């Protein structure tokens, strides 16, 4: 009999198991993964922006490790103390609830375990007998297919907290403005209470009801001695006062872009939430002083690790009139003069120049003849002055010497790709904005001047690797940065300290205004303009973008007391950099009393090189910048074969600078007079200076009273071949020797007139045209 009974029991048990497997296959567990919200978070896990699922539900995915242990303790104590011991259903709790409800005549106690509650969350049902049976069935399936931690994780992410909020992660951020890992005792108890009746207990609407429910949870925890009495008392004394509901609304443009850059549900960025909030507010406030329909983009990068700390893609995301939805950090625009530091760094690295090399700010007699921003020319300028003043002609001189194609390829090999017009090759115009780049690429490029000549891509996300591409040597980068800071004079060098170094840019037609700066810790990029590419009157980098650059830099300095000490970028001078006195016009080091040392400059030099002054190909072929002559014992210039002739050399200024030199520096003045008894061979073009006739500097012309045009009589003498005439930097005429300039002046003002000939000689006068009084 016993054996028969045992056999029946085994068969029955096997039948139950078989039936379970069959039913499990016929009615599988509806473990359809809930589509979690995609959340973009800051470096401290503060949500920047959320993208809800198709039903508008916000779920912030968390694991057990992401939640405060206090919350887990409170949840298990209140909902299911035996969660890790039972098989999903607690028979003792069911019997207790059954008799309590019969005795009271109403439902006063529930018996649902945490597993059963999770089953009801994944498959809701009505409170009926059939519904309870189905809930028990699904609970058994949960326990069969999932571990206890997996079931708990499912509850943590799917529990209802009112409205469109599901899960402890979303609830903690929404109601308390903090991560679930930061919950204290009172907050943990509150979060446990809310799912009991999410709509009725919403703490932002019904704080008194929510507090009563929280205290009920605390009493249960006290009853079982999980927390001590003092902790319970202090938790109850904490009133429920909630700030406005937290809705993440920072960096909307970057958040939207991040969706396409990462597949993660929680996209962990390097953004500093506080900095981002301050810069967005700064941008919105700027609208009051900006032109209509103008936008603003700002980017802040910590150059010690290239992490992006703030990304302001537009002046105001919600301002349609200013195209606030357009990401101007990522938009390809003309960079204006912001590429100039790269050619200076490359020229120093290649040994073409040093910090005080003599460059030429003069008109160009070629197919590409740009002007300076102020339409005037300065003549002889040092490399540091030319970069500091953002002069166009010296930059063109450098890229012509280095090579436009080589320049573009060097940037591309370092990760900076310039966008050229379709089917076109790199030209000299690139250095003045004749190519496209975005603010992101520009800021990345400027990392070369903060990271020892290495260019690094921006690191938007925490798991982005730090990559570096060699661009120039550390010494060339260091010298260029000092030139950008306006502190290129070695006499004022302070070890370990460097102020903000920056460069501005303005694109053709006043469409884009730029400023990129390097501080002790950050690279700051600013762009201002209209996203629809419409010109904006009076908009240029120094006037429009630089104020925002300084505003951001001042904010960064104010974030911590003694910012320079806390965030100091040690401006260590690389071993390859040294100081050398050099002489103009040769650009090289000469003895102080050498007659060819006409101007002494103290320069930063790289690899102990003092390269000679860059010359035009014509002058380089003719004399290499030096003129050899012979003198007798009376210091008279003689032929090389004369008796007692001694060889001398004269350092020549670049021919094109002739009109900007004082009379004492012209070749005809510096050479000794010729000997009558043994004169030298003709040195023609060296002493036949080109001069403007008929008008002198500071001459004042008066416009005729009748309103007729003024046509002054102006011509030139000396020089060789054709003459090119420039008025305020613009070519106005080309004529031959002994021909008059026929130009009609119709407006009063200050004018600069320059003439140049085929040998690149030139002369310059400045005069005034005014109305008759």
């Amino acid at each position: 009999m016993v054996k028969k009974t045992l056999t029946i029991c085994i068969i029955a048990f096997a039948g139950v198991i078989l039936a379970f497997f069959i039913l499990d296959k016929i009615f599988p567990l509806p473990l359809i993964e809930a589509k979690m919200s995609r959340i973009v978070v800051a470096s401290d896990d503060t949500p920047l922006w959320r993208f809800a699922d198709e039903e508008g539900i916000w779920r912030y995915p968390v694991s057990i490790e992401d939640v405060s242990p206090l919350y887990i303790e409170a949840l298990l104590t209140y909902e299911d103390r035996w969660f890790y011991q039972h098989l999903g259903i607690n028979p003792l709790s069911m019997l207790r609830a059954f008799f309590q409800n019969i005795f009271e005549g109403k439902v006063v106690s529930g018996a649902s375990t945490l597993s059963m509650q999770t089953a009801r969350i994944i498959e809701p049902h009505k409170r009926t007998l059939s519904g309870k049976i189905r809930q028990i069935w699904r609970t058994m399936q949960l326990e069969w297919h999932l571990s206890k931690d997996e079931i708990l994780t499912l509850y943590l992410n799917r529990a209802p907290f009112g409205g469109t909020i599901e899960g402890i992660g979303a609830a903690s951020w929404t109601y308390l403005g903090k991560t679930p890992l930061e919950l204290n005792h009172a907050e943990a108890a509150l979060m446990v209470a809310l799912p009991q009746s999410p709509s009725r207990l919403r703490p932002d609407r019904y704080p008194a009801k929510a507090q009563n429910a929280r205290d009920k949870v605390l009493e249960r925890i006290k009853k079982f001695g999980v927390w001590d009495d003092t902790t319970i008392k202090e938790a109850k004394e904490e009133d429920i006062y909630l700030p406005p509901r937290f809705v993440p609304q920072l960096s909307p443009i970057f958040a939207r872009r991040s969706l396409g850059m990462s597949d993660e549900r929680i996209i962990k960025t390097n953004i500093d939430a506080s900095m981002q909030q301050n810069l967005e507010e700064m941008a919105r406030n700027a609208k009051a002083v900006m032109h209509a329909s103008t936008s603003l983009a700002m980017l802040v990068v910590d150059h010690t690790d290239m992490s992006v700390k703030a990304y302001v893609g537009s002046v105001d995301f919600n301002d349609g009139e200013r195209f606030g939805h357009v990401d101007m950090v990522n938009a390809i625009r003309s960079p204006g003069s912001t590429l100039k530091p790269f050619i200076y760094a490359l020229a120093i690295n290649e040994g073409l120049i040093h910090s005080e090399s003599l460059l030429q700010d003069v008109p160009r007699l070629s197919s590409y003849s740009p002007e300076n921003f102020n339409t005037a020319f300065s003549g002889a300028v040092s490399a540091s002055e030319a970069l500091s003043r953002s002069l166009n002609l010296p930059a063109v001189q450098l890229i012509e010497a280095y090579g436009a194609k080589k320049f573009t390829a060097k940037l591309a090999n370092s990760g900076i790709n310039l966008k050229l017009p379709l089917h076109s090759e790199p030209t000299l115009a690139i250095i003045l904005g004749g190519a496209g780049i975005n603010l992101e690429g520009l800021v990345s490029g400027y990392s070369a001047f903060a990271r020892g000549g290495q260019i690094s891509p921006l690191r938007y996300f925490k798991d982005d690797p730090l990559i570096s591409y060699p661009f120039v040597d550390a010494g060339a980068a260091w010298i260029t940065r000092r030139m950008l800071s306006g502190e290129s004079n070695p006499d004022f060098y302070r070890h370990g300290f460097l102020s903000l170094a920056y460069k501005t840019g303005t694109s053709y037609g006043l469409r884009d205004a730029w400023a990129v700066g390097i501080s002790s810790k950050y690279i700051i990029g600013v762009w201002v303009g209209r996203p629809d590419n419409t010109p904006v009157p009076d908009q240029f980098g120094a006037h429009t973008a630089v104020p925002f650059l300084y505003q951001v830099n001042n904010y960064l300095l104010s974030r911590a007391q003694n910012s320079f000490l806390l965030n100091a970028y040690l401006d260590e001078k690389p071993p390859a950099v040294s100081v050398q006195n050099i002489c103009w016009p040769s650009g090289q080091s000469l003895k102080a009393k050498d007659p060819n040392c006409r101007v002494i400059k103290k320069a930063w030099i790289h690899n102990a090189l003092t390269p000679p002054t860059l010359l035009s190909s014509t002058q380089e072929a003719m004399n290499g910048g030096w003129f050899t002559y012979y003198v007798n014992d009376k210091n008279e210039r003689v032929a090389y074969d004369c008796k007692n002739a001694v060889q001398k050399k004269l350092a020549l200024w670049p021919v094109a600078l002739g009109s900007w030199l004082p009379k004492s520096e012209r070749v005809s003045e510096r050479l000794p007079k010729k000997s009558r008894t043994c004169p030298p061979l003709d040195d023609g073009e060296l002493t036949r200076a080109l001069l403007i006739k008929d008008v002198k500097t500071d001459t004042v012309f008066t416009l005729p009273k009748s309103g007729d045009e003024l046509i002054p009589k102006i011509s030139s003498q000396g020089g060789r071949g054709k003459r090119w005439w420039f008025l305020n930097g613009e070519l106005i005429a080309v004529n031959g020797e002994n021909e008059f300039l026929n130009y009609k002046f119709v407006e009063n003002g200050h004018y600069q007139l320059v003439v140049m000939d085929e040998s690149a000689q030139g002369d310059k006068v400045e005069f005034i045209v005014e109305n008759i009084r």
Side-chain angles (χ1 to χ4, degrees):
M1 185 68 180
V2 174
K3 184 176 180 181
K4 183 178 180 180
T5 302
L6 182 61
T7 302
I8 292 172
C9 290
I10 292 174
I11 293 172
F13 179 75
V16 170
I17 297 298
L18 180 61
F20 178 85
F21 274 104
I22 293 172
L23 290 174
D24 186 60
K25 295 296 182 182
I26 297 174
F27 305 104
L29 188 66
L31 273 180
I32 301 173
E33 183 180 354
K35 292 185 177 181
M36 291 289 176
S37 306
R38 297 196 68 187
I39 314 293
V40 181
V41 302
S43 58
D44 62 353
D45 290 333
T46 300
L48 299 174
W49 199 269
R50 68 185 187 189
F51 297 89
D53 65 13
E54 291 86 347
E55 298 176 354
I57 303 298
W58 184 30
R59 303 182 187 93
Y60 186 106
V62 297
S63 64
I64 295 176
E65 292 74 20
D66 296 326
V67 180
S68 168
L70 299 177
Y71 175 78
I72 302 297
E73 286 180 352
L75 176 67
L76 296 182
T77 302
Y78 187 74
E79 294 289 356
D80 194 350
R81 288 190 301 135
W82 307 106
F83 172 71
Y84 281 100
Q85 285 74 42
H86 61 62
L87 297 177
I89 301 168
N90 191 335
L92 295 178
S93 295
M94 295 185 72
L95 288 173
R96 171 186 53 77
F98 176 77
F99 286 112
Q100 282 183 341
N101 295 340
I102 291 294
F103 181 78
E104 295 290 339
K106 60 180 180 179
V107 177
V108 296
S109 177
S112 294
T113 63
L114 207 59
S115 299
M116 294 176 71
Q117 292 181 48
T118 304
R120 186 176 182 185
I121 288 172
I122 65 174
E123 188 178 70
H125 62 81
K126 294 182 179 180
R127 291 182 178 274
T128 62
L129 180 60
S130 62
K132 181 60 70 173
I133 293 173
R134 189 168 65 182
Q135 182 183 16
I136 293 172
W137 164 247
R138 293 304 188 194
T139 301
M140 294 170 62
Q141 288 182 295
L142 276 175
E143 293 284 343
W144 178 261
H145 290 284
L146 302 180
S147 68
K148 286 292 187 179
D149 281 351
E150 288 173 330
I151 295 172
L152 179 57
T153 301
L154 198 59
Y155 178 87
L156 293 177
N157 284 286
R158 299 288 294 277
F161 281 86
T164 59
I165 303 166
E166 287 189 5
I168 182 61
S172 181
W173 275 113
T174 300
Y175 293 123
L176 304 174
K178 60 172 62 177
T179 70
L181 192 61
E182 299 175 290
L183 298 176
N184 62 26
H185 293 82
E187 293 165 343
L190 175 64
M191 291 294 106
V192 169
L194 294 186
Q196 307 305 312
S197 183
S199 298
R200 185 177 64 86
L201 298 178
R202 275 186 57 167
D204 57 332
R205 294 182 179 176
Y206 312 109
K209 293 180 180 180
Q211 187 162 331
N212 289 334
R214 180 202 67 184
D215 292 348
K216 182 180 176 182
V217 173
L218 290 171
E219 282 298 324
R220 177 76 66 88
I221 296 172
K222 177 182 178 182
K223 176 182 177 182
F224 293 108
V226 178
W227 297 343
D228 59 62
D229 291 350
T230 302
T231 299
I232 297 294
K233 180 182 178 182
E234 291 175 351
K236 284 186 175 182
E237 291 174 350
E238 188 173 316
D239 291 332
I240 293 181
Y241 175 76
L242 301 181
R245 287 186 62 177
F246 176 80
V247 179
Q249 290 185 330
L250 283 176
S251 194
I253 289 179
F254 173 58
R256 181 182 63 193
R257 183 182 176 191
S258 298
L259 295 182
M261 301 170 70
S262 172
D263 296 326
E264 299 295 329
R265 286 291 172 189
I266 300 180
I267 302 175
K268 297 185 176 183
T269 75
N270 290 316
I271 295 291
D272 183 309
S274 174
M275 187 187 302
Q276 180 72 29
Q277 185 174 11
N278 276 276
L279 262 64
E280 287 188 13
E281 183 178 356
M282 188 185 300
R284 286 191 293 270
N285 292 338
K287 293 196 294 184
V289 297
M290 294 173 65
H291 286 280
S293 301
T294 302
S295 191
L296 165 69
M298 296 183 286
L299 197 60
V300 177
V301 175
D302 183 339
H303 59 63
T304 62
D305 62 5
M306 294 307 291
S307 56
V308 177
K309 295 303 180 184
Y311 185 118
V312 180
S314 70
V315 69
D316 184 352
F317 183 70
N318 297 311
D319 193 333
E321 292 185 359
R322 294 181 182 271
F323 310 94
H325 62 285
V326 179
D327 184 1
M328 297 313 300
V329 167
N330 196 34
I332 301 296
R333 309 286 289 200
S334 167
S337 295
T338 55
L339 296 181
K340 288 177 182 175
F342 299 107
I343 191 59
Y344 280 86
L346 288 169
I348 293 171
N349 200 66
E350 291 280 317
L352 296 176
I353 61 170
H354 47 67
S355 69
E356 298 303 312
S357 285
L358 172 61
L359 298 179
Q360 304 170 39
D361 183 33
V362 297
R364 287 175 51 83
L365 304 180
S366 67
S367 58
Y368 183 58
S369 303
E371 303 173 358
N372 285 318
F373 189 78
N374 64 1
T375 72
F377 300 102
S378 301
V381 292
S382 67
S384 58
E385 179 187 357
L387 180 57
S388 178
R389 292 175 55 194
S390 194
L391 298 175
N392 289 340
L393 280 305
V396 173
Q397 181 187 4
L398 288 180
I399 197 170
E400 185 174 43
Y402 185 83
K405 290 184 179 180
K406 183 179 175 183
F407 174 77
T408 307
K410 184 66 175 178
L411 284 174
N413 290 337
S414 302
I416 307 301
N417 293 294
L418 300 179
K419 187 174 181 61
L420 300 172
L422 193 63
H423 306 305
S424 66
E425 295 287 332
T427 66
L428 301 181
I430 282 180
I431 203 61
L432 302 184
I437 194 172
N438 55 22
L439 184 60
E440 172 184 272
L442 207 53
V443 168
S444 173
Y446 272 65
S447 66
F449 310 119
R451 297 178 56 80
Q454 303 286 313
I455 290 180
S456 297
L458 307 188
R459 295 180 56 248
Y460 286 114
F461 309 108
K462 283 192 173 182
D463 57 356
D464 284 346
L466 178 59
I467 302 172
S468 295
Y469 299 103
F471 180 64
V472 294
D473 294 344
W478 187 90
I479 293 172
T480 305
R481 180 171 173 176
R482 295 210 69 86
M483 292 163 66
L484 285 171
S485 71
E487 299 177 358
S488 60
N489 189 336
D491 288 336
F492 300 107
Y493 171 62
R494 288 179 286 172
H495 178 74
F497 178 83
L498 184 64
S499 60
L500 180 67
Y502 68 90
K503 183 71 187 73
T504 63
T506 306
S507 67
Y508 179 76
L510 306 180
R511 289 173 169 83
D512 307 272
W514 305 82
V516 184
I518 308 163
S519 73
S520 59
K521 184 176 175 65
Y522 299 101
I523 304 174
I524 307 164
V526 177
W527 172 90
V528 183
R530 286 188 53 151
D532 63 357
N533 212 32
T534 301
V536 180
D538 302 322
Q539 174 177 273
F540 50 94
H543 173 73
T544 311
V546 166
F548 293 118
L549 176 71
Y550 273 107
Q551 194 174 355
V552 173
N553 188 54
N554 289 339
Y555 161 73
L556 295 174
L557 293 177
S558 69
R559 278 167 56 92
Q561 189 177 8
N562 299 322
S563 299
F564 276 118
L565 298 178
L566 294 176
N567 299 321
Y569 172 84
L570 294 179
D571 184 39
E572 298 286 350
K573 182 170 67 65
V577 176
S578 57
V579 179
Q580 181 71 58
N581 286 333
I582 62 95
C583 298
W584 282 5
S586 69
Q588 297 177 297
S589 179
L590 301 173
K591 294 180 180 179
K593 294 184 179 180
D594 191 310
N596 286 306
C597 192
R598 311 298 293 173
V599 178
I600 299 177
K601 296 276 187 178
K602 185 170 286 189
W604 294 110
I605 63 173
H606 182 230
N607 290 334
L609 296 176
T610 54
T613 297
L614 283 175
L615 302 173
S616 67
S617 57
T618 302
Q619 186 172 2
E620 184 69 42
M622 287 174 57
N623 49 51
W626 291 87
F627 176 59
T628 301
Y629 64 97
Y630 297 83
V631 296
N632 58 21
D633 51 8
K634 297 180 180 179
N635 198 35
E636 295 175 329
R637 198 148 46 95
V638 297
Y640 73 94
D641 55 353
C642 295
K643 185 180 179 179
N644 298 326
V646 177
Q647 186 184 76
K648 298 284 186 177
K649 283 193 172 184
L650 174 67
L652 300 176
W653 292 88
V655 175
L657 294 176
S659 59
W660 280 267
L661 297 175
K663 186 178 180 181
S664 60
E665 288 299 322
R666 298 193 174 185
V667 176
S668 57
E669 297 294 327
R670 293 184 58 196
L671 287 174
K673 66 179 181 178
K674 294 181 180 181
S675 168
R676 292 185 178 181
T677 57
C678 189
L681 298 176
D682 181 40
D683 39 57
E685 293 176 1
L686 283 173
T687 57
R688 191 168 175 240
L690 174 65
L691 299 172
I692 295 176
K693 294 172 58 179
D694 311 312
V695 60
K696 297 181 179 180
T697 291
D698 296 331
T699 297
V700 177
F701 293 102
T702 303
L703 288 172
K705 191 173 183 180
S706 62
D708 295 335
E709 299 93 345
L710 171 66
I711 308 177
K713 184 180 179 181
I714 300 175
S715 63
S716 64
Q717 69 178 27
R720 177 173 63 86
K722 290 183 180 180
R723 273 76 167 130
W724 284 262
W725 296 86
F726 297 85
L727 187 66
N728 288 349
E730 181 181 353
L731 180 65
I732 59 171
V734 179
N735 60 20
E737 296 183 52
N738 303 317
E739 293 183 10
F740 286 101
L741 171 66
N742 293 311
Y743 185 79
K744 300 177 182 179
F745 290 85
V746 295
E747 294 182 356
N748 59 1
H750 289 74
Y751 291 91
Q752 181 190 74
L753 182 65
V754 175
V755 64
M756 301 193 73
D757 68 5
E758 292 181 13
S759 65
Q761 291 193 89
D763 194 19
K764 168 180 66 77
V765 294
E766 296 183 4
F767 55 88
I768 299 172
V769 175
E770 63 181 25
N771 295 320
I772 192 169
R773 297 179 181 178

